[in-house]
Each structure stands twice: as structure tokens, then as C-alpha cells.
Amino acid sequence: MRYSHILLVLLLFVCGSKLSAQQPVRARIIERGTSAPVPFATIRYGAGNQGVIAGLDGYFEIPTASPVPSSVEVSCMGYKTLVITLPLSGNTVVLEPAGKELAEVTVKPPYEKIRRILNETIKNKPANDPDKYDRYRCHIYYKMLADAALPDSNAAKDTSVGIKEFKAFSSRQHLLMSETYSIRYWERPGKLQEDILATRFSGLKKTAFTSIITDVLPFHAYTEYITLNGKDYHNPVSPGYNLHYRFNLSDELLDGTDTIWVLSFRPKGIAGNSLTGKVYIHSDGFAISRLVAAVKDPGMEQTVRIEQEYKRIPFGPKDRRWFPGQLNYVIERAMKADKTPYTLQMTGRSVIDSISWDDNDVRFDKRHTVRLAGGATDHSDSLLNRYRPATLDAKEQMTYHVIDSLGAKVKADKIMDHMRNLPKGRISVGPIDLDLMRLLSYNRYENIRLGMGLQTNDRILKWASVGGWAGYGFGDKRWKYGGFAEFYFDKYKEFVLRGSYADDLGDPGRIQIAKELDKNYLRKFLLTRVDLTKTYTVSMSGKIGYWSTEVAAEEQQFTPNYNYALRLNGEDHAAFRSREVSINLRYAYGERTAPIFGTYMRTDSKYPIWFGKVTGGEITAGMPYEKYIKAVSGFLWRGHLNRVGTEHIMFEAGKIWSDGPLPISRLFAGNGFKYDPRYAFSLYGFGGIMTLFPYEVYTDRFAQAVFRHDMDWKLYKLESPDFDLSSAPNIALQYGVLYGDLKNTAAHQSIDIMVPSKGYHEAGMLLNNLIRLRSRSYYQSFNIGYFYPLNTSGPIDLEKKGKIVIGASIEL
């Protein structure tokens, strides 16, 4: 009995020791002072290169299969290395920021090893790229937090009441907060659907817009470029990496029988489109397992940092696939209020789970890439409670409580209601919408036009709207006016029946096929030749899949308000009436759309966009009606090619079949952007001919092509923070060609018509971003270039002189 008792005690002791040894070491690494998680820290242990890497949330775990070490070494770029003994006294490890006192140790990188690792990873990209998988489905929880922070020096020294209140506010709650839970579906070659099941934005009872993690950063890092906040940056793991980055092998760890290589990278040369950070390459499939990257804009005093973590997901009985597990970002911008500096910070964190490779039981909606489930935008915390991977902490709960109360007090939902038609250029005032685009405009013919446009909105009828507009031009001293009625056949108002009347100005011969091609904003500004028009129109427009369609019938009376006449049978005519029926088509394969204030806006398409329009009509000038058919087609494409640059291609062609000569208002006017004979410059807009005037060329059949190549590298980079001014130009090369012909040129009286029957060619160079003026939240960039006509042979008799070209753009 005594011996059995001793054996029992020994057995319990041994078992207890075993159980104790099998307990994994698990802790969270945080930063001293802020308690923020330190992502991707390296935890090294054992005699060899064994170790683990902390996740995005700072947690790490030494697996039970490994012998529990007596101590571990914790290191991370930007922090002091820490050696701690085990077992831990708590569940956190605190790292101290390195500061400026630690100098970097320069070690010659093993270039050949780095090159082999990167080349093998690039070679294996197709096997690890989620876009190359046949299909997948995943769930994404996304949380955005906005905060304001004072610099440590200010927060410590300034003890004023305002600073104390600010510090108390910041410790108690965030400025803003939003959450979104969605299901993402993918199917090759390019089908994408994101269904939002729940979304909430602090301060609003009903969210007016959607917010998903991929609005800021890409879903994965296997593209040639990494797009952050709408701007492309060279991917450090892509062909041509040696042209843009310098690498170092920062660490090498064993993960079981696999190896993890930690490669740090920084820009080579002028860091205009390059990142700084670390990429973790896993030997299992040579896949990217983690990525930390950042870019700083000194002029805007803004830093964008992203963190991506990938995990291996079972695929079939034995295989595994790499897939994104977490996507995070931090955007920081330095601000100043009453001479007190502070930092605005927006943090986004996402958790991706429930990954499935099965057939997607979803109907892909090509018109609506992002869909809102019924009740998804309603203010319902109970709905989000079903999807949150973790409950909200006290600070987040307080944010909703306070900001929601503030939103109710200032009637934020009512303000959003006024702005619900802002994407269409209108503001709602009660039951009436005010058309902002009608208030003020300028062109060279009218000079300033002041006006107003009003129409009814959903508060009167959800399925119909009636409206009218009027405007007065101070240059021509004439009133223009019109009215319309619209009927809607779906809740997004994408299928519309419209009838209208307009007494307005017409741009003779101007091709109207699509906003992307027409550059109406520039053509209206250059307007110097007009028809006085009275137009009745009935149209039906809608979108089916990737197709956008409009069918229209129109009757118009127009009189040239310039010295022109059409000679028919020995008589000159200067007043016309036409009747037309047309069909206008647009096809954009793979185009993404997202709802903003209830209206679906186009975001992007990496494929060429095709346009086409066919018009059948008849026209009279007091004689019997003359019939004609008019067809025009074109495409537009923009693509960022690795190691090449950004390519822009525009092609457009048209032809008219008619029984006899048509007035120039029914011909094709040349797409010239030359400003004025008195000035030696043109206004730049891609798709136009810079060295031609807007009304210099008319044809009844034409073909035009414009090619532009934007180089990625910058000539230099200069900053002047005192004047909010910078210069970082990159070169763009452009070539344009126009061919055309015209029958019966003698029928057109009192004007000179130029026909490019043997072609008109021009070439030019642009310096983009030559001057950049910084405002509080965007850059105003000014570009300059020089374009030269290469030949003026044939009927065109133009003075062979080049033109300086100026342009401007806004970059957020």
C-alpha cells in the first residue's frame, strides 16, 4: 500500500510535469507608452534559427511541439531588442521604441541569395495569387477608427485647460468609427461581388455610403503595383524590383521544416512611387506570408502604412492555399490648429475568415459590384454583434454613444439627406433639388453664364421627377431655358425614361458619344461657334450587365449664329430642322461600381472601354427632307505596365452616309484644343489635337488615334514647405494622328473647311507635376508641354508652328 502510494505520487508528478511542458507560451507584444500592438515582431529561441513571428495584433505563440525554452529574444525594426526569461510574469511583452540614439549597423547584404528568393517568389506568384484561383468566398469584418493626437512634447509641456480636455477626450473615445461586415465572392477571369450584410458609421442612424477595406489598400500583394489610396506604387516583389528598391536579408527563421526569409526594402533613387518596409517570404510555395510597407508624403505631411498577413487554408484532402488573413492600414497626417500641431490618424483593421473554395451560390451582379443587403445600412448594433470577431472595447462603445448623440443633436442624417444627390451634382432642399452645375459656368462665347436648375425629388414622387432650368449669358446677352420630366423603373434610377425641351446653344459638329471621350468640360470652355437650337427629346436609358444603353428620338430646329450657309441647288440655306433616332452603347468589361448616397458610381476597369453610337435622321432647310445615317465608335484604355509606365490609348472613328451635303452641324468637327490665335498655347486634355483649333477641321468620315506614355521615374524632387510648393515632374510623351475626308466641300459657304485627307500628325512632350501647390487636403498640379505638327501636307494649310500646352489636375 505504501509503495503504491509512492508510485501514484510519482506518476502524478511526472504527468504534471508533462502537462506543464506542453502548455504553449502565448503573449502579446505591445509598444511602451501607447500600448499599441507591435505587428510582425520576431521571437527567436533555441540554439538554431528557430522562431515565430507575431501576428498583426501583436500576439505570438510558441507551439507545444517545440521544447519550451528558458528565454526568448524579441526584436522588431524600430524597437530595442529585448531578451526575456520564461515563464512570463504576465501575458504581455513591452518593447521600447529605438529612438534616434541607435545607429544602424551596415552589413553587406547577400545579394545573390536575396535575388534567388525574390525570383523564386515571383515565379510562384500565379500559384499563390488569389485572383488566379478558380473561385473563392470569404467573410470580411472591417473596422475604421479616426483619432487625433498631440505630439509627446506638446502633450507633456502644455498644461492648459484646452490641452487637458483634449487629452481626456482622446483617452475616453475616438473621433469617428465605422464597421462593415461583408461576403466577398470571386470567380475567374474577373467576376467580383461584395455583399455587405451590415454597416455602421458613428453619428448616423443610416449610413449614406459604403466603406470596405479595399477602398484603401489592395486585397493582396500579388499585383504588379500596390495601390494605396488610389495611387500606384511599385510592388517590391515583381519583375524589375532591382530598378526601384534596395534589399537586405533582415532575418531568417525556421518554421518547422520550412524557412521564413525577412527581406527589408527601401526606395532606390527618388522615392516617388516606391515603398519602404519588410516582406516575409515563406519557403512553402515561396509565398508572401506577411507584408509591412509605408510611404511618406513630406509635402502633405502624410504617411500611409499597410500591414498584410496571409495564412494557409486547406484545399482538398492534402493541399493548402495561401490566402489573406488580415489587412490593416494606418494613415497619419500632420495638422495645425491655432498654431498647435496635432496628428490626424485613421486606422483600418480587417479580419478575413470563413474561406471556401466551393462553387459560389451567388448571382454576380455586373451592374453593382458592391451590394447592400436589406437593412444593412440601418443603425442596428444587434446586427453587427452577430458578426464581430470580438466585442467592442469601452473606448469604442463610448465613441458610438457620444458621436451618435452628437449626430442626433446636429441632425447629421438630415444633412446627409440634403447631400444624397451630390454625386449627380445636386443638393436637396426639402422636396426640391438644386442643380449645382447650372449656377455658374464660363465659355468663350457667353463669357459668364448665371442660372438655376430645379427639379422635384423623392419626397414628392420616388418614381418620377419634373424640373426646369434657365440661364443668362453675359457675353451674348441671351436667355436659355428648358424643362424635362423623368420616370424611373428601378430603385437606383438606372433605367430612366426622359422627355425634355431646351432652347439653348449647340456646338456645331461636336461628337457626343461618351463623357470619357468627349471632354465636354474643355470643349464648353473653348466654345466660340454656336447654333441657336430648339430641341425636343425623348430617351430611354439603362444598364444591363457591363452594357450601358440609351435610345433616343429628337427633333431640333437650329440656326447657325455665325457666317455660314449651305448651298443646295444654287440656293443658300441657313436655317434647318432635323429629326433623328439614335442608339448609344457603352461596354466596360470588369468595371467596378460602388454605392454613394444611394447612387452607383463607376470606380475602375483595367480593360478597354468601348463606345458606339448610330444615328438615323432626316434634315430639311425648306426643301424635301434628306436622309442620312451617322455612325461613330471608339475605345479608351489606361493601363499601368510594370517596368514600362502608364499607357493611355484613345481611338475614335466615324462615317456618314447621306443623299447629299449636310450642314456642318451634322458633320464631324475636329477635336482641336488650341486656345486662341492671339496666344501661343493650347489647353491640355487627353484625346484632343493640341495644335488644331476646335472648328478648324470638318469631315464626313474620320479616324483619330492618340497615344500617351507616362514615365514612372521623376526628373527631380524639390520641396518648399514654407510656401506649400513642390516640383517633382515626370515626362509624358504623346503622339496624335487624324485622318478624314469630306464630300461636297463647295456646298459650305462663307467658312474655310480644312480636311486632313492625307493625315495630320503631331507629337509632344509633357512635364506633369512641374508645379504642385499644396492645400490642406489635396495638391493642385500644373503641367506644361510642347506639341509640334509633324506634317501639314494635303488640303490642310496650317502654319507649321509648335504650341506650348498647359494643363492642371487635382490629386487627393
Side-chain angles (χ1 to χ4, degrees):
M1 190 72 180
R2 183 179 174 185
Y3 290 105
S4 62
H5 178 71
I6 295 173
L7 287 173
L8 179 61
V9 170
L10 288 173
L11 181 62
L12 290 173
F13 176 78
V14 171
C15 290
S17 300
K18 289 289 185 181
L19 290 171
S20 174
Q22 289 175 357
Q23 294 298 315
V25 178
R26 190 173 193 271
R28 192 184 197 194
I29 304 173
I30 61 174
E31 181 182 275
R32 183 178 299 279
T34 65
S35 296
V38 178
F40 301 156
T42 300
I43 299 89
R44 189 184 297 276
Y45 57 88
N49 278 338
Q50 284 189 314
V52 294
I53 298 171
L56 280 170
D57 50 8
Y59 284 103
F60 73 90
E61 181 177 310
I62 298 176
T64 57
S66 304
V68 177
S70 59
S71 65
V72 295
E73 180 187 87
V74 184
S75 62
C76 187
M77 181 180 289
Y79 296 88
K80 295 180 181 179
T81 299
L82 179 67
V83 177
I84 55 177
T85 58
L86 299 180
L88 296 173
S89 58
N91 58 0
T92 59
V93 175
V94 182
L95 287 186
E96 185 175 341
K100 297 181 180 179
E101 69 275 8
L102 293 181
E104 288 189 10
V105 178
T106 303
V107 179
K108 185 177 180 181
Y111 293 115
E112 180 59 25
K113 185 173 183 177
I114 292 172
R115 187 185 66 81
R116 292 178 63 183
I117 293 170
L118 287 171
N119 288 345
E120 196 67 24
T121 305
I122 294 170
K123 177 183 174 182
N124 282 272
K125 264 188 171 186
N128 300 312
D129 182 354
D131 288 351
K132 297 295 190 294
Y133 300 158
D134 289 337
R135 63 184 61 85
Y136 65 76
R137 180 183 64 209
C138 64
H139 294 212
I140 305 175
Y141 170 77
Y142 165 49
K143 181 195 299 180
M144 184 278 294
L145 302 172
D147 292 281
L150 292 170
D152 293 338
S153 57
N154 283 33
K157 296 178 182 178
D158 198 326
T159 58
S160 64
V161 175
I163 295 297
K164 288 182 178 179
E165 290 179 350
F166 181 85
K167 290 170 63 178
F169 175 89
S170 300
S171 63
R172 189 172 59 247
Q173 68 175 81
H174 304 283
L175 289 178
L176 289 172
M177 177 178 173
S178 72
E179 295 175 279
T180 301
Y181 188 84
S182 61
I183 303 178
R184 180 184 176 99
Y185 302 90
W186 167 265
E187 192 171 295
R188 291 187 67 184
K191 292 182 180 180
L192 175 65
Q193 191 74 59
E194 189 126 8
D195 288 343
I196 295 178
L197 304 186
T199 182
R200 184 180 181 185
F201 197 93
S202 57
L204 298 175
K205 291 183 179 179
K206 191 169 184 177
T207 307
F209 43 84
T210 60
S211 177
I212 55 180
I213 187 70
T214 50
D215 291 338
V216 181
L217 75 163
F219 188 67
H220 58 78
Y222 285 98
T223 51
E224 299 297 307
Y225 289 86
I226 294 176
T227 303
L228 303 181
N229 239 7
K231 186 176 180 179
D232 288 347
Y233 296 91
H234 297 287
N235 190 334
V237 186
S238 64
Y241 56 82
N242 58 313
L243 299 175
H244 308 288
Y245 291 102
R246 299 184 188 278
F247 287 88
N248 192 11
L249 182 58
S250 299
D251 213 337
E252 186 172 333
L253 296 170
L254 292 177
D255 181 20
T257 58
D258 295 314
T259 303
I260 301 173
W261 296 283
V262 184
L263 304 180
S264 60
F265 55 88
R266 56 188 175 89
K268 179 187 289 187
I270 300 174
N273 297 86
S274 301
L275 304 165
T276 300
K278 283 185 176 182
V279 60
Y280 297 68
I281 307 298
H282 203 288
S283 63
D284 181 7
F286 277 85
I288 298 172
S289 62
R290 295 170 179 86
L291 172 68
V292 180
V295 62
K296 185 174 183 179
D297 185 339
M300 197 66 72
E301 296 183 85
Q302 175 177 287
T303 300
V304 179
R305 185 173 74 251
I306 65 167
E307 303 160 345
Q308 295 186 340
E309 185 173 19
Y310 299 79
K311 53 189 177 183
R312 287 171 286 189
I313 306 298
F315 175 69
K318 296 182 180 180
D319 295 336
R320 290 186 297 180
R321 283 176 167 177
W322 287 94
F323 200 79
Q326 290 190 56
L327 307 175
N328 297 346
Y329 68 83
V330 178
I331 301 175
E332 294 180 331
R333 176 172 290 186
M335 308 290 286
K336 189 176 288 187
D338 297 329
K339 297 183 180 180
T340 301
Y342 65 96
T343 301
L344 277 180
Q345 184 183 82
M346 187 168 73
T347 304
R349 300 190 180 278
S350 68
V351 176
I352 303 171
D353 56 21
S354 303
I355 297 102
S356 171
W357 316 109
D358 299 332
D359 290 343
N360 292 321
D361 55 347
V362 62
R363 179 180 175 272
F364 287 90
D365 189 344
K366 299 175 183 178
R367 293 187 297 148
H368 309 128
T369 311
V370 178
R371 294 187 301 200
L372 293 167
T377 61
D378 293 339
H379 183 266
S380 175
D381 194 60
S382 60
L383 183 61
L384 276 164
N385 276 335
R386 294 163 48 190
Y387 303 122
R388 291 186 182 116
T391 57
L392 300 181
D393 60 31
K395 189 174 181 178
E396 292 166 345
Q397 293 178 33
M398 181 62 71
T399 303
Y400 273 137
H401 175 72
V402 174
I403 302 302
D404 286 352
S405 300
L406 180 62
K409 186 175 180 180
V410 301
K411 300 180 179 179
D413 286 279
K414 190 172 183 179
I415 296 173
M416 291 293 108
D417 188 57
H418 290 315
M419 298 174 63
R420 67 184 184 276
N421 285 317
L422 195 59
K424 301 175 183 177
R426 308 195 305 262
I427 286 185
S428 300
V429 183
I432 301 297
D433 281 359
L434 173 65
D435 191 341
L436 300 177
M437 309 305 293
R438 295 281 185 183
L439 294 177
L440 174 66
S441 62
Y442 176 86
N443 60 67
R444 296 183 59 209
Y445 180 81
E446 294 177 287
N447 292 326
I448 295 174
R449 182 199 274 203
L450 294 178
M452 180 173 287
L454 302 173
Q455 71 179 90
T456 62
N457 58 37
D458 294 353
R459 293 196 174 185
I460 296 178
L461 285 175
K462 292 185 179 296
W463 52 270
S465 175
V466 295
W469 60 270
Y472 181 80
F474 286 86
D476 62 343
K477 297 180 172 54
R478 291 179 61 92
W479 280 96
K480 298 88 183 174
Y481 53 89
F484 61 88
E486 295 178 339
F487 301 90
Y488 312 116
F489 297 90
D490 68 308
K491 67 177 181 178
Y492 297 116
K493 300 180 181 178
E494 294 176 333
F495 289 87
V496 182
L497 175 63
R498 177 184 172 94
S500 65
Y501 169 78
D503 189 323
D504 203 358
L505 303 178
D507 192 355
R510 190 60 55 213
I511 301 170
Q512 301 288 345
I513 180 173
K515 292 180 180 179
E516 297 99 319
L517 285 176
D518 297 343
K519 295 292 188 293
N520 284 333
Y521 64 92
L522 192 52
R523 289 173 173 176
K524 288 180 179 179
F525 179 81
L526 295 171
L527 186 69
T528 56
R529 179 182 291 179
V530 303
D531 293 331
L532 304 180
T533 64
K534 296 181 179 180
T535 310
Y536 296 87
T537 307
V538 176
S539 65
M540 181 70 189
S541 59
K543 187 174 181 183
I544 303 173
Y546 296 133
W547 288 93
S548 298
T549 308
E550 182 182 52
V551 179
E554 178 182 286
E555 182 171 348
Q556 184 180 82
Q557 299 178 37
F558 63 95
T559 303
N561 200 32
Y562 46 94
N563 191 17
Y564 171 76
L566 180 67
R567 179 161 294 179
L568 296 171
N569 301 322
E571 296 183 4
D572 291 346
H573 301 272
F576 306 90
R577 179 190 296 270
S578 67
R579 295 188 294 228
E580 294 182 341
V581 176
S582 64
I583 180 169
N584 199 340
L585 301 172
R586 177 185 183 273
Y587 183 75
Y589 178 77
E591 185 175 59
R592 312 299 189 214
T593 60
I596 301 177
F597 295 103
T599 299
Y600 270 87
M601 306 297 293
R602 298 165 180 163
T603 54
D604 69 316
S605 175
K606 63 181 180 180
Y607 301 99
I609 301 175
W610 176 85
F611 309 89
K613 184 177 183 179
V614 178
T615 302
E618 54 185 18
I619 190 168
T620 182
M623 69 291 192
Y625 277 98
E626 181 176 311
K627 293 180 173 56
Y628 60 91
I629 296 176
K630 189 175 182 179
V632 63
S633 180
F635 72 86
L636 191 65
W637 180 74
R638 176 189 178 276
H640 206 161
L641 305 180
N642 190 26
R643 292 182 290 179
V644 177
T646 303
E647 306 301 323
H648 307 256
I649 302 176
M650 189 279 291
F651 178 79
E652 198 170 14
K655 182 175 174 61
I656 298 173
W657 296 266
S658 64
D659 298 335
L662 299 176
I664 62 170
S665 297
R666 292 299 179 266
L667 300 178
F668 300 119
N671 201 15
F673 287 167
K674 195 172 172 182
Y675 180 65
D676 191 297
R678 296 170 296 176
Y679 305 105
F681 69 88
S682 298
L683 298 178
Y684 183 77
F686 178 73
I689 303 296
M690 301 300 112
T691 53
L692 284 179
F693 289 110
Y695 308 101
E696 208 160 9
V697 170
Y698 280 96
T699 63
D700 57 16
R701 52 193 178 277
F702 79 98
Q704 177 186 342
V706 180
F707 307 88
R708 192 179 90 201
H709 170 72
D710 295 350
M711 299 181 182
D712 280 339
W713 52 271
K714 299 183 183 299
L715 291 175
Y716 59 84
K717 192 172 184 179
L718 299 176
E719 300 279 352
S720 178
D722 295 337
F723 299 97
D724 292 332
L725 184 68
S726 65
S727 179
N730 64 295
I731 295 176
L733 303 177
Q734 181 165 312
Y735 174 79
V737 59
L738 171 65
Y739 283 90
D741 207 350
L742 178 64
K743 300 176 183 177
N744 303 314
T745 55
H748 305 280
Q749 301 296 303
S750 305
I751 64 170
D752 295 325
I753 290 193
M754 301 177 179
V755 182
S757 56
K758 294 187 178 180
Y760 186 88
H761 304 256
E762 72 170 15
M765 183 180 74
L766 289 164
L767 291 179
N768 294 321
N769 301 316
L770 181 64
I771 299 175
R772 302 176 83 199
L773 298 176
R774 182 174 71 91
S775 73
R776 186 174 293 271
S777 57
Y778 64 88
Y779 283 111
Q780 175 72 59
S781 298
F782 296 93
N783 318 317
I784 192 168
Y786 188 80
F787 281 71
Y788 194 83
L790 299 179
N791 74 296
T792 55
S793 60
I796 293 183
D797 185 18
L798 303 176
E799 188 176 5
K800 190 174 182 179
K801 289 184 178 179
K803 291 295 174 185
I804 296 173
V805 173
I806 58 175
S809 61
I810 292 177
E811 178 185 340
L812 298 177

